[in-house]
PDB file of all heavy atoms in Angstrom:
ATOM      1  N   SER A   1       5.402  -5.005  -2.352  1.00 65.00           N
ATOM      2  CA  SER A   1       5.788  -4.923  -0.952  1.00 65.00           C
ATOM      3  C   SER A   1       4.596  -5.231  -0.059  1.00 65.00           C
ATOM      4  O   SER A   1       3.473  -4.796  -0.321  1.00 65.00           O
ATOM      5  CB  SER A   1       6.314  -3.520  -0.642  1.00 65.00           C
ATOM      6  OG  SER A   1       6.604  -3.389   0.730  1.00 65.00           O
ATOM      7  N   GLY A   2       4.828  -6.003   1.006  1.00 65.00           N
ATOM      8  CA  GLY A   2       3.754  -6.274   1.955  1.00 65.00           C
ATOM      9  C   GLY A   2       2.881  -7.432   1.528  1.00 65.00           C
ATOM     10  O   GLY A   2       3.203  -8.194   0.627  1.00 65.00           O
ATOM     11  N   TYR A   3       1.736  -7.554   2.194  1.00 60.00           N
ATOM     12  CA  TYR A   3       0.818  -8.660   1.949  1.00 60.00           C
ATOM     13  C   TYR A   3      -0.562  -8.094   1.645  1.00 60.00           C
ATOM     14  O   TYR A   3      -0.946  -7.043   2.144  1.00 60.00           O
ATOM     15  CB  TYR A   3       0.723  -9.568   3.189  1.00 60.00           C
ATOM     16  CG  TYR A   3       2.026 -10.215   3.549  1.00 60.00           C
ATOM     17  CD1 TYR A   3       2.935  -9.576   4.393  1.00 60.00           C
ATOM     18  CD2 TYR A   3       2.376 -11.455   3.037  1.00 60.00           C
ATOM     19  CE1 TYR A   3       4.141 -10.164   4.729  1.00 60.00           C
ATOM     20  CE2 TYR A   3       3.581 -12.053   3.356  1.00 60.00           C
ATOM     21  CZ  TYR A   3       4.466 -11.401   4.208  1.00 60.00           C
ATOM     22  OH  TYR A   3       5.650 -11.982   4.528  1.00 60.00           O
ATOM     23  N   ARG A   4      -1.311  -8.822   0.840  1.00 61.00           N
ATOM     24  CA  ARG A   4      -2.650  -8.378   0.502  1.00 61.00           C
ATOM     25  C   ARG A   4      -3.597  -9.564   0.613  1.00 61.00           C
ATOM     26  O   ARG A   4      -3.323 -10.634   0.076  1.00 61.00           O
ATOM     27  CB  ARG A   4      -2.682  -7.808  -0.916  1.00 61.00           C
ATOM     28  CG  ARG A   4      -4.042  -7.220  -1.301  1.00 61.00           C
ATOM     29  CD  ARG A   4      -3.952  -6.470  -2.611  1.00 61.00           C
ATOM     30  NE  ARG A   4      -3.501  -7.329  -3.694  1.00 61.00           N
ATOM     31  CZ  ARG A   4      -3.201  -6.886  -4.913  1.00 61.00           C
ATOM     32  NH1 ARG A   4      -3.275  -5.593  -5.180  1.00 61.00           N
ATOM     33  NH2 ARG A   4      -2.810  -7.722  -5.850  1.00 61.00           N
ATOM     34  N   ARG A   5      -4.700  -9.371   1.289  1.00 57.00           N
ATOM     35  CA  ARG A   5      -5.684 -10.435   1.437  1.00 57.00           C
ATOM     36  C   ARG A   5      -6.407 -10.688   0.127  1.00 57.00           C
ATOM     37  O   ARG A   5      -6.675  -9.750  -0.626  1.00 57.00           O
ATOM     38  CB  ARG A   5      -6.712 -10.064   2.500  1.00 57.00           C
ATOM     39  CG  ARG A   5      -6.288 -10.411   3.911  1.00 57.00           C
ATOM     40  CD  ARG A   5      -7.448 -10.091   4.852  1.00 57.00           C
ATOM     41  NE  ARG A   5      -7.211 -10.638   6.155  1.00 57.00           N
ATOM     42  CZ  ARG A   5      -7.516 -11.881   6.513  1.00 57.00           C
ATOM     43  NH1 ARG A   5      -8.051 -12.690   5.618  1.00 57.00           N
ATOM     44  NH2 ARG A   5      -7.298 -12.315   7.730  1.00 57.00           N
ATOM     45  N   TYR A   6      -6.777 -11.942  -0.096  1.00 53.00           N
ATOM     46  CA  TYR A   6      -7.622 -12.277  -1.229  1.00 53.00           C
ATOM     47  C   TYR A   6      -9.064 -11.961  -0.859  1.00 53.00           C
ATOM     48  O   TYR A   6      -9.555 -12.375   0.195  1.00 53.00           O
ATOM     49  CB  TYR A   6      -7.497 -13.763  -1.570  1.00 53.00           C
ATOM     50  CG  TYR A   6      -8.430 -14.200  -2.688  1.00 53.00           C
ATOM     51  CD1 TYR A   6      -8.128 -13.908  -4.012  1.00 53.00           C
ATOM     52  CD2 TYR A   6      -9.615 -14.872  -2.401  1.00 53.00           C
ATOM     53  CE1 TYR A   6      -8.972 -14.294  -5.031  1.00 53.00           C
ATOM     54  CE2 TYR A   6     -10.468 -15.263  -3.414  1.00 53.00           C
ATOM     55  CZ  TYR A   6     -10.145 -14.969  -4.722  1.00 53.00           C
ATOM     56  OH  TYR A   6     -10.986 -15.340  -5.731  1.00 53.00           O
ATOM     57  N   GLU A   7      -9.738 -11.193  -1.672  1.00 54.00           N
ATOM     58  CA  GLU A   7     -11.103 -10.787  -1.399  1.00 54.00           C
ATOM     59  C   GLU A   7     -12.084 -11.550  -2.269  1.00 54.00           C
ATOM     60  O   GLU A   7     -11.943 -11.612  -3.487  1.00 54.00           O
ATOM     61  CB  GLU A   7     -11.283  -9.278  -1.632  1.00 54.00           C
ATOM     62  CG  GLU A   7     -10.528  -8.415  -0.626  1.00 54.00           C
ATOM     63  CD  GLU A   7     -10.890  -6.950  -0.794  1.00 54.00           C
ATOM     64  OE1 GLU A   7     -11.757  -6.647  -1.632  1.00 54.00           O
ATOM     65  OE2 GLU A   7     -10.317  -6.118  -0.084  1.00 54.00           O
ATOM     66  N   ILE A   8     -13.083 -12.152  -1.629  1.00 50.00           N
ATOM     67  CA  ILE A   8     -14.170 -12.791  -2.355  1.00 50.00           C
ATOM     68  C   ILE A   8     -15.051 -11.699  -2.932  1.00 50.00           C
ATOM     69  O   ILE A   8     -15.312 -10.682  -2.291  1.00 50.00           O
ATOM     70  CB  ILE A   8     -14.982 -13.706  -1.421  1.00 50.00           C
ATOM     71  CG1 ILE A   8     -14.040 -14.778  -0.837  1.00 50.00           C
ATOM     72  CG2 ILE A   8     -16.153 -14.352  -2.138  1.00 50.00           C
ATOM     73  CD1 ILE A   8     -14.667 -15.627   0.226  1.00 50.00           C
ATOM     74  N   ALA A   9     -15.537 -11.909  -4.142  1.00 48.00           N
ATOM     75  CA  ALA A   9     -16.252 -10.851  -4.864  1.00 48.00           C
ATOM     76  C   ALA A   9     -17.397 -10.258  -4.060  1.00 48.00           C
ATOM     77  O   ALA A   9     -17.555  -9.038  -3.976  1.00 48.00           O
ATOM     78  CB  ALA A   9     -16.767 -11.397  -6.194  1.00 48.00           C
ATOM     79  N   ASP A  10     -18.214 -11.117  -3.411  1.00 49.00           N
ATOM     80  CA  ASP A  10     -19.398 -10.561  -2.742  1.00 49.00           C
ATOM     81  C   ASP A  10     -19.044  -9.854  -1.438  1.00 49.00           C
ATOM     82  O   ASP A  10     -19.904  -9.274  -0.796  1.00 49.00           O
ATOM     83  CB  ASP A  10     -20.453 -11.650  -2.495  1.00 49.00           C
ATOM     84  CG  ASP A  10     -19.928 -12.765  -1.603  1.00 49.00           C
ATOM     85  OD1 ASP A  10     -18.802 -12.642  -1.109  1.00 49.00           O
ATOM     86  OD2 ASP A  10     -20.664 -13.754  -1.416  1.00 49.00           O
ATOM     87  N   GLN A  11     -17.761  -9.912  -1.040  1.00 51.00           N
ATOM     88  CA  GLN A  11     -17.350  -9.192   0.166  1.00 51.00           C
ATOM     89  C   GLN A  11     -16.838  -7.787  -0.160  1.00 51.00           C
ATOM     90  O   GLN A  11     -16.525  -7.018   0.741  1.00 51.00           O
ATOM     91  CB  GLN A  11     -16.248  -9.978   0.889  1.00 51.00           C
ATOM     92  CG  GLN A  11     -16.750 -11.279   1.491  1.00 51.00           C
ATOM     93  CD  GLN A  11     -15.627 -12.055   2.145  1.00 51.00           C
ATOM     94  OE1 GLN A  11     -14.454 -11.753   1.927  1.00 51.00           O
ATOM     95  NE2 GLN A  11     -15.975 -13.044   2.943  1.00 51.00           N
ATOM     96  N   ARG A  12     -16.723  -7.473  -1.440  1.00 53.00           N
ATOM     97  CA  ARG A  12     -16.221  -6.153  -1.802  1.00 53.00           C
ATOM     98  C   ARG A  12     -17.304  -5.097  -1.679  1.00 53.00           C
ATOM     99  O   ARG A  12     -17.040  -3.903  -1.776  1.00 53.00           O
ATOM    100  CB  ARG A  12     -15.688  -6.195  -3.238  1.00 53.00           C
ATOM    101  CG  ARG A  12     -14.477  -7.104  -3.405  1.00 53.00           C
ATOM    102  CD  ARG A  12     -14.084  -7.256  -4.856  1.00 53.00           C
ATOM    103  NE  ARG A  12     -12.993  -8.217  -4.995  1.00 53.00           N
ATOM    104  CZ  ARG A  12     -12.636  -8.760  -6.138  1.00 53.00           C
ATOM    105  NH1 ARG A  12     -13.285  -8.454  -7.259  1.00 53.00           N
ATOM    106  NH2 ARG A  12     -11.638  -9.617  -6.192  1.00 53.00           N
ATOM    107  N   TRP A  13     -18.552  -5.526  -1.502  1.00 56.00           N
ATOM    108  CA  TRP A  13     -19.658  -4.588  -1.374  1.00 56.00           C
ATOM    109  C   TRP A  13     -20.018  -4.441   0.094  1.00 56.00           C
ATOM    110  O   TRP A  13     -20.017  -5.392   0.849  1.00 56.00           O
ATOM    111  CB  TRP A  13     -20.876  -5.080  -2.170  1.00 56.00           C
ATOM    112  CG  TRP A  13     -20.596  -5.184  -3.631  1.00 56.00           C
ATOM    113  CD1 TRP A  13     -20.156  -6.278  -4.305  1.00 56.00           C
ATOM    114  CD2 TRP A  13     -20.706  -4.140  -4.597  1.00 56.00           C
ATOM    115  NE1 TRP A  13     -19.980  -6.015  -5.629  1.00 56.00           N
ATOM    116  CE2 TRP A  13     -20.315  -4.690  -5.853  1.00 56.00           C
ATOM    117  CE3 TRP A  13     -21.094  -2.799  -4.546  1.00 56.00           C
ATOM    118  CZ2 TRP A  13     -20.301  -3.951  -7.029  1.00 56.00           C
ATOM    119  CZ3 TRP A  13     -21.090  -2.067  -5.717  1.00 56.00           C
ATOM    120  CH2 TRP A  13     -20.697  -2.639  -6.942  1.00 56.00           C
ATOM    121  N   GLY A  14     -20.327  -3.243   0.472  1.00 62.00           N
ATOM    122  CA  GLY A  14     -20.708  -2.994   1.858  1.00 62.00           C
ATOM    123  C   GLY A  14     -19.497  -2.897   2.765  1.00 62.00           C
ATOM    124  O   GLY A  14     -18.346  -2.935   2.335  1.00 62.00           O
ATOM    125  N   VAL A  15     -19.769  -2.771   4.053  1.00 75.00           N
ATOM    126  CA  VAL A  15     -18.720  -2.617   5.057  1.00 75.00           C
ATOM    127  C   VAL A  15     -18.355  -3.983   5.617  1.00 75.00           C
ATOM    128  O   VAL A  15     -19.222  -4.714   6.107  1.00 75.00           O
ATOM    129  CB  VAL A  15     -19.199  -1.691   6.200  1.00 75.00           C
ATOM    130  CG1 VAL A  15     -18.110  -1.560   7.262  1.00 75.00           C
ATOM    131  CG2 VAL A  15     -19.584  -0.326   5.651  1.00 75.00           C
ATOM    132  N   ARG A  16     -17.081  -4.328   5.511  1.00 85.00           N
ATOM    133  CA  ARG A  16     -16.638  -5.615   6.027  1.00 85.00           C
ATOM    134  C   ARG A  16     -16.416  -5.534   7.536  1.00 85.00           C
ATOM    135  O   ARG A  16     -16.031  -4.488   8.068  1.00 85.00           O
ATOM    136  CB  ARG A  16     -15.352  -6.034   5.334  1.00 85.00           C
ATOM    137  CG  ARG A  16     -15.525  -6.323   3.862  1.00 85.00           C
ATOM    138  CD  ARG A  16     -14.183  -6.611   3.219  1.00 85.00           C
ATOM    139  NE  ARG A  16     -13.531  -7.768   3.815  1.00 85.00           N
ATOM    140  CZ  ARG A  16     -12.293  -8.149   3.494  1.00 85.00           C
ATOM    141  NH1 ARG A  16     -11.601  -7.453   2.616  1.00 85.00           N
ATOM    142  NH2 ARG A  16     -11.749  -9.210   4.061  1.00 85.00           N
ATOM    143  N   PRO A  17     -16.663  -6.622   8.260  1.00 90.00           N
ATOM    144  CA  PRO A  17     -16.388  -6.616   9.703  1.00 90.00           C
ATOM    145  C   PRO A  17     -14.902  -6.402   9.950  1.00 90.00           C
ATOM    146  O   PRO A  17     -14.060  -6.707   9.101  1.00 90.00           O
ATOM    147  CB  PRO A  17     -16.853  -8.000  10.165  1.00 90.00           C
ATOM    148  CG  PRO A  17     -16.830  -8.844   8.930  1.00 90.00           C
ATOM    149  CD  PRO A  17     -17.180  -7.923   7.803  1.00 90.00           C
ATOM    150  N   GLU A  18     -14.592  -5.893  11.109  1.00 92.00           N
ATOM    151  CA  GLU A  18     -13.225  -5.460  11.394  1.00 92.00           C
ATOM    152  C   GLU A  18     -12.662  -6.172  12.610  1.00 92.00           C
ATOM    153  O   GLU A  18     -13.350  -6.346  13.621  1.00 92.00           O
ATOM    154  CB  GLU A  18     -13.228  -3.943  11.633  1.00 92.00           C
ATOM    155  CG  GLU A  18     -11.892  -3.353  12.000  1.00 92.00           C
ATOM    156  CD  GLU A  18     -11.983  -1.865  12.298  1.00 92.00           C
ATOM    157  OE1 GLU A  18     -13.007  -1.241  11.946  1.00 92.00           O
ATOM    158  OE2 GLU A  18     -11.036  -1.336  12.894  1.00 92.00           O
ATOM    159  N   ILE A  19     -11.414  -6.620  12.497  1.00 93.00           N
ATOM    160  CA  ILE A  19     -10.632  -7.060  13.649  1.00 93.00           C
ATOM    161  C   ILE A  19      -9.632  -5.931  13.923  1.00 93.00           C
ATOM    162  O   ILE A  19      -8.765  -5.653  13.099  1.00 93.00           O
ATOM    163  CB  ILE A  19      -9.869  -8.373  13.380  1.00 93.00           C
ATOM    164  CG1 ILE A  19     -10.830  -9.494  12.982  1.00 93.00           C
ATOM    165  CG2 ILE A  19      -9.062  -8.765  14.617  1.00 93.00           C
ATOM    166  CD1 ILE A  19     -11.775  -9.935  14.057  1.00 93.00           C
ATOM    167  N   ALA A  20      -9.794  -5.260  15.038  1.00 93.00           N
ATOM    168  CA  ALA A  20      -8.927  -4.126  15.359  1.00 93.00           C
ATOM    169  C   ALA A  20      -7.662  -4.613  16.060  1.00 93.00           C
ATOM    170  O   ALA A  20      -7.713  -5.513  16.905  1.00 93.00           O
ATOM    171  CB  ALA A  20      -9.664  -3.135  16.250  1.00 93.00           C
ATOM    172  N   VAL A  21      -6.543  -4.017  15.677  1.00 94.00           N
ATOM    173  CA  VAL A  21      -5.265  -4.323  16.312  1.00 94.00           C
ATOM    174  C   VAL A  21      -4.763  -3.057  17.001  1.00 94.00           C
ATOM    175  O   VAL A  21      -4.637  -2.006  16.364  1.00 94.00           O
ATOM    176  CB  VAL A  21      -4.225  -4.803  15.280  1.00 94.00           C
ATOM    177  CG1 VAL A  21      -2.916  -5.182  15.977  1.00 94.00           C
ATOM    178  CG2 VAL A  21      -4.763  -5.990  14.486  1.00 94.00           C
ATOM    179  N   VAL A  22      -4.521  -3.159  18.288  1.00 94.00           N
ATOM    180  CA  VAL A  22      -3.948  -2.032  19.028  1.00 94.00           C
ATOM    181  C   VAL A  22      -2.604  -2.464  19.588  1.00 94.00           C
ATOM    182  O   VAL A  22      -2.383  -3.650  19.872  1.00 94.00           O
ATOM    183  CB  VAL A  22      -4.885  -1.542  20.158  1.00 94.00           C
ATOM    184  CG1 VAL A  22      -6.179  -1.018  19.600  1.00 94.00           C
ATOM    185  CG2 VAL A  22      -5.161  -2.647  21.161  1.00 94.00           C
ATOM    186  N   TYR A  23      -1.703  -1.511  19.732  1.00 93.00           N
ATOM    187  CA  TYR A  23      -0.333  -1.816  20.126  1.00 93.00           C
ATOM    188  C   TYR A  23       0.004  -1.200  21.475  1.00 93.00           C
ATOM    189  O   TYR A  23      -0.333  -0.048  21.753  1.00 93.00           O
ATOM    190  CB  TYR A  23       0.651  -1.289  19.076  1.00 93.00           C
ATOM    191  CG  TYR A  23       0.548  -2.007  17.752  1.00 93.00           C
ATOM    192  CD1 TYR A  23      -0.390  -1.614  16.796  1.00 93.00           C
ATOM    193  CD2 TYR A  23       1.370  -3.084  17.463  1.00 93.00           C
ATOM    194  CE1 TYR A  23      -0.498  -2.285  15.584  1.00 93.00           C
ATOM    195  CE2 TYR A  23       1.278  -3.758  16.252  1.00 93.00           C
ATOM    196  CZ  TYR A  23       0.344  -3.355  15.317  1.00 93.00           C
ATOM    197  OH  TYR A  23       0.236  -4.022  14.124  1.00 93.00           O
ATOM    198  N   VAL A  24       0.676  -2.003  22.284  1.00 93.00           N
ATOM    199  CA  VAL A  24       1.282  -1.515  23.525  1.00 93.00           C
ATOM    200  C   VAL A  24       2.785  -1.655  23.325  1.00 93.00           C
ATOM    201  O   VAL A  24       3.353  -2.731  23.504  1.00 93.00           O
ATOM    202  CB  VAL A  24       0.801  -2.317  24.751  1.00 93.00           C
ATOM    203  CG1 VAL A  24       1.492  -1.810  26.018  1.00 93.00           C
ATOM    204  CG2 VAL A  24      -0.709  -2.205  24.903  1.00 93.00           C
ATOM    205  N   ASP A  25       3.409  -0.569  22.906  1.00 90.00           N
ATOM    206  CA  ASP A  25       4.834  -0.573  22.564  1.00 90.00           C
ATOM    207  C   ASP A  25       5.636   0.236  23.569  1.00 90.00           C
ATOM    208  O   ASP A  25       5.227   1.332  23.972  1.00 90.00           O
ATOM    209  CB  ASP A  25       5.063   0.033  21.168  1.00 90.00           C
ATOM    210  CG  ASP A  25       4.777  -0.955  20.058  1.00 90.00           C
ATOM    211  OD1 ASP A  25       4.825  -2.164  20.325  1.00 90.00           O
ATOM    212  OD2 ASP A  25       4.497  -0.525  18.932  1.00 90.00           O
ATOM    213  N   GLY A  26       6.785  -0.282  23.954  1.00 88.00           N
ATOM    214  CA  GLY A  26       7.709   0.480  24.782  1.00 88.00           C
ATOM    215  C   GLY A  26       7.203   0.662  26.202  1.00 88.00           C
ATOM    216  O   GLY A  26       6.451  -0.153  26.749  1.00 88.00           O
ATOM    217  N   LEU A  27       7.613   1.755  26.812  1.00 89.00           N
ATOM    218  CA  LEU A  27       7.243   2.040  28.192  1.00 89.00           C
ATOM    219  C   LEU A  27       5.756   2.326  28.328  1.00 89.00           C
ATOM    220  O   LEU A  27       5.142   2.925  27.447  1.00 89.00           O
ATOM    221  CB  LEU A  27       8.013   3.265  28.702  1.00 89.00           C
ATOM    222  CG  LEU A  27       9.526   3.135  28.867  1.00 89.00           C
ATOM    223  CD1 LEU A  27      10.098   4.447  29.383  1.00 89.00           C
ATOM    224  CD2 LEU A  27       9.875   2.002  29.797  1.00 89.00           C
ATOM    225  N   ILE A  28       5.183   1.924  29.438  1.00 92.00           N
ATOM    226  CA  ILE A  28       3.802   2.250  29.765  1.00 92.00           C
ATOM    227  C   ILE A  28       3.802   3.385  30.782  1.00 92.00           C
ATOM    228  O   ILE A  28       4.425   3.281  31.842  1.00 92.00           O
ATOM    229  CB  ILE A  28       3.066   1.023  30.346  1.00 92.00           C
ATOM    230  CG1 ILE A  28       2.981  -0.093  29.306  1.00 92.00           C
ATOM    231  CG2 ILE A  28       1.681   1.402  30.838  1.00 92.00           C
ATOM    232  CD1 ILE A  28       2.402  -1.396  29.840  1.00 92.00           C
ATOM    233  N   THR A  29       3.139   4.467  30.432  1.00 89.00           N
ATOM    234  CA  THR A  29       2.986   5.581  31.358  1.00 89.00           C
ATOM    235  C   THR A  29       1.503   5.834  31.572  1.00 89.00           C
ATOM    236  O   THR A  29       0.655   5.254  30.900  1.00 89.00           O
ATOM    237  CB  THR A  29       3.658   6.861  30.828  1.00 89.00           C
ATOM    238  OG1 THR A  29       2.950   7.314  29.664  1.00 89.00           O
ATOM    239  CG2 THR A  29       5.114   6.621  30.468  1.00 89.00           C
ATOM    240  N   SER A  30       1.184   6.709  32.490  1.00 86.00           N
ATOM    241  CA  SER A  30      -0.220   6.982  32.791  1.00 86.00           C
ATOM    242  C   SER A  30      -0.791   8.094  31.917  1.00 86.00           C
ATOM    243  O   SER A  30      -2.000   8.301  31.903  1.00 86.00           O
ATOM    244  CB  SER A  30      -0.379   7.368  34.271  1.00 86.00           C
ATOM    245  OG  SER A  30       0.459   8.469  34.590  1.00 86.00           O
ATOM    246  N   GLY A  31       0.050   8.796  31.161  1.00 84.00           N
ATOM    247  CA  GLY A  31      -0.417   9.938  30.375  1.00 84.00           C
ATOM    248  C   GLY A  31      -0.722   9.596  28.936  1.00 84.00           C
ATOM    249  O   GLY A  31      -1.404   8.622  28.642  1.00 84.00           O
ATOM    250  N   GLU A  32      -0.188  10.398  28.012  1.00 86.00           N
ATOM    251  CA  GLU A  32      -0.456  10.224  26.589  1.00 86.00           C
ATOM    252  C   GLU A  32       0.686   9.483  25.899  1.00 86.00           C
ATOM    253  O   GLU A  32       1.822   9.488  26.364  1.00 86.00           O
ATOM    254  CB  GLU A  32      -0.670  11.594  25.926  1.00 86.00           C
ATOM    255  CG  GLU A  32      -1.896  12.331  26.443  1.00 86.00           C
ATOM    256  CD  GLU A  32      -2.144  13.621  25.681  1.00 86.00           C
ATOM    257  OE1 GLU A  32      -1.270  14.005  24.887  1.00 86.00           O
ATOM    258  OE2 GLU A  32      -3.200  14.231  25.888  1.00 86.00           O
ATOM    259  N   SER A  33       0.343   8.859  24.779  1.00 86.00           N
ATOM    260  CA  SER A  33       1.344   8.123  24.004  1.00 86.00           C
ATOM    261  C   SER A  33       2.220   9.098  23.214  1.00 86.00           C
ATOM    262  O   SER A  33       1.826  10.232  22.951  1.00 86.00           O
ATOM    263  CB  SER A  33       0.659   7.152  23.040  1.00 86.00           C
ATOM    264  OG  SER A  33      -0.087   6.183  23.737  1.00 86.00           O
ATOM    265  N   GLY A  34       3.385   8.644  22.832  1.00 79.00           N
ATOM    266  CA  GLY A  34       4.297   9.468  22.051  1.00 79.00           C
ATOM    267  C   GLY A  34       5.656   8.811  21.956  1.00 79.00           C
ATOM    268  O   GLY A  34       5.783   7.594  22.072  1.00 79.00           O
ATOM    269  N   GLY A  35       6.687   9.612  21.757  1.00 73.00           N
ATOM    270  CA  GLY A  35       8.045   9.094  21.657  1.00 73.00           C
ATOM    271  C   GLY A  35       8.940   9.788  22.654  1.00 73.00           C
ATOM    272  O   GLY A  35       8.648  10.888  23.123  1.00 73.00           O
ATOM    273  N   THR A  36      10.044   9.146  22.997  1.00 65.00           N
ATOM    274  CA  THR A  36      10.996   9.760  23.911  1.00 65.00           C
ATOM    275  C   THR A  36      11.816  10.815  23.166  1.00 65.00           C
ATOM    276  O   THR A  36      11.884  10.800  21.938  1.00 65.00           O
ATOM    277  CB  THR A  36      11.943   8.701  24.494  1.00 65.00           C
ATOM    278  OG1 THR A  36      12.691   8.112  23.424  1.00 65.00           O
ATOM    279  CG2 THR A  36      11.165   7.611  25.215  1.00 65.00           C
ATOM    280  N   PRO A  37      12.447  11.738  23.883  1.00 62.00           N
ATOM    281  CA  PRO A  37      13.214  12.801  23.219  1.00 62.00           C
ATOM    282  C   PRO A  37      14.302  12.290  22.294  1.00 62.00           C
ATOM    283  O   PRO A  37      14.574  12.882  21.261  1.00 62.00           O
ATOM    284  CB  PRO A  37      13.810  13.589  24.402  1.00 62.00           C
ATOM    285  CG  PRO A  37      12.861  13.361  25.517  1.00 62.00           C
ATOM    286  CD  PRO A  37      12.368  11.954  25.340  1.00 62.00           C
ATOM    287  N   PHE A  38      14.943  11.165  22.639  1.00 59.00           N
ATOM    288  CA  PHE A  38      16.011  10.638  21.800  1.00 59.00           C
ATOM    289  C   PHE A  38      15.475   9.803  20.656  1.00 59.00           C
ATOM    290  O   PHE A  38      16.229   9.322  19.825  1.00 59.00           O
ATOM    291  CB  PHE A  38      16.994   9.813  22.631  1.00 59.00           C
ATOM    292  CG  PHE A  38      17.895  10.656  23.507  1.00 59.00           C
ATOM    293  CD1 PHE A  38      18.822  10.047  24.326  1.00 59.00           C
ATOM    294  CD2 PHE A  38      17.802  12.047  23.508  1.00 59.00           C
ATOM    295  CE1 PHE A  38      19.653  10.811  25.131  1.00 59.00           C
ATOM    296  CE2 PHE A  38      18.630  12.810  24.305  1.00 59.00           C
ATOM    297  CZ  PHE A  38      19.549  12.196  25.128  1.00 59.00           C
ATOM    298  N   GLY A  39      14.185   9.578  20.616  1.00 60.00           N
ATOM    299  CA  GLY A  39      13.575   8.860  19.514  1.00 60.00           C
ATOM    300  C   GLY A  39      13.872   7.375  19.488  1.00 60.00           C
ATOM    301  O   GLY A  39      13.680   6.712  18.479  1.00 60.00           O
ATOM    302  N   THR A  40      14.354   6.807  20.597  1.00 62.00           N
ATOM    303  CA  THR A  40      14.720   5.397  20.618  1.00 62.00           C
ATOM    304  C   THR A  40      13.646   4.519  21.237  1.00 62.00           C
ATOM    305  O   THR A  40      13.704   3.299  21.118  1.00 62.00           O
ATOM    306  CB  THR A  40      16.025   5.187  21.399  1.00 62.00           C
ATOM    307  OG1 THR A  40      15.829   5.627  22.743  1.00 62.00           O
ATOM    308  CG2 THR A  40      17.156   5.979  20.769  1.00 62.00           C
ATOM    309  N   THR A  41      12.692   5.109  21.918  1.00 71.00           N
ATOM    310  CA  THR A  41      11.684   4.328  22.635  1.00 71.00           C
ATOM    311  C   THR A  41      10.303   4.911  22.403  1.00 71.00           C
ATOM    312  O   THR A  41      10.118   6.124  22.457  1.00 71.00           O
ATOM    313  CB  THR A  41      11.979   4.324  24.149  1.00 71.00           C
ATOM    314  OG1 THR A  41      13.290   3.812  24.372  1.00 71.00           O
ATOM    315  CG2 THR A  41      10.978   3.460  24.907  1.00 71.00           C
ATOM    316  N   GLN A  42       9.348   4.036  22.152  1.00 81.00           N
ATOM    317  CA  GLN A  42       7.956   4.436  22.045  1.00 81.00           C
ATOM    318  C   GLN A  42       7.339   4.452  23.438  1.00 81.00           C
ATOM    319  O   GLN A  42       7.681   3.641  24.290  1.00 81.00           O
ATOM    320  CB  GLN A  42       7.186   3.463  21.141  1.00 81.00           C
ATOM    321  CG  GLN A  42       5.706   3.782  20.996  1.00 81.00           C
ATOM    322  CD  GLN A  42       5.465   5.083  20.245  1.00 81.00           C
ATOM    323  OE1 GLN A  42       6.275   5.468  19.417  1.00 81.00           O
ATOM    324  NE2 GLN A  42       4.364   5.733  20.554  1.00 81.00           N
ATOM    325  N   ILE A  43       6.461   5.394  23.668  1.00 86.00           N
ATOM    326  CA  ILE A  43       5.731   5.483  24.928  1.00 86.00           C
ATOM    327  C   ILE A  43       4.274   5.132  24.665  1.00 86.00           C
ATOM    328  O   ILE A  43       3.644   5.690  23.767  1.00 86.00           O
ATOM    329  CB  ILE A  43       5.797   6.904  25.525  1.00 86.00           C
ATOM    330  CG1 ILE A  43       7.244   7.301  25.838  1.00 86.00           C
ATOM    331  CG2 ILE A  43       4.931   7.000  26.774  1.00 86.00           C
ATOM    332  CD1 ILE A  43       7.851   6.602  27.004  1.00 86.00           C
TER     333      ILE A  43
END
């Protein structure tokens, strides 16, 4: 299930650089993220 990247041997040592992915899902509010009471929408 899912996908897996092919890793070059010399990249398995040490800390690899990171591309961070952040999500803006559903309604945008000014407070904290979470879910709506009915569970149908992400905040």
Side-chain angles (χ1 to χ4, degrees):
S1 176
Y3 298 88
R4 184 170 59 187
R5 275 184 169 274
Y6 176 77
E7 292 187 3
I8 301 173
D10 61 5
Q11 292 178 346
R12 295 173 185 165
W13 298 92
V15 179
R16 294 175 60 186
E18 177 183 345
I19 302 294
V21 183
V22 297
Y23 293 85
V24 178
D25 280 337
L27 293 180
I28 297 174
T29 67
S30 56
E32 296 185 351
S33 298
T36 62
F38 286 179
T40 61
T41 303
Q42 179 67 28
I43 298 288

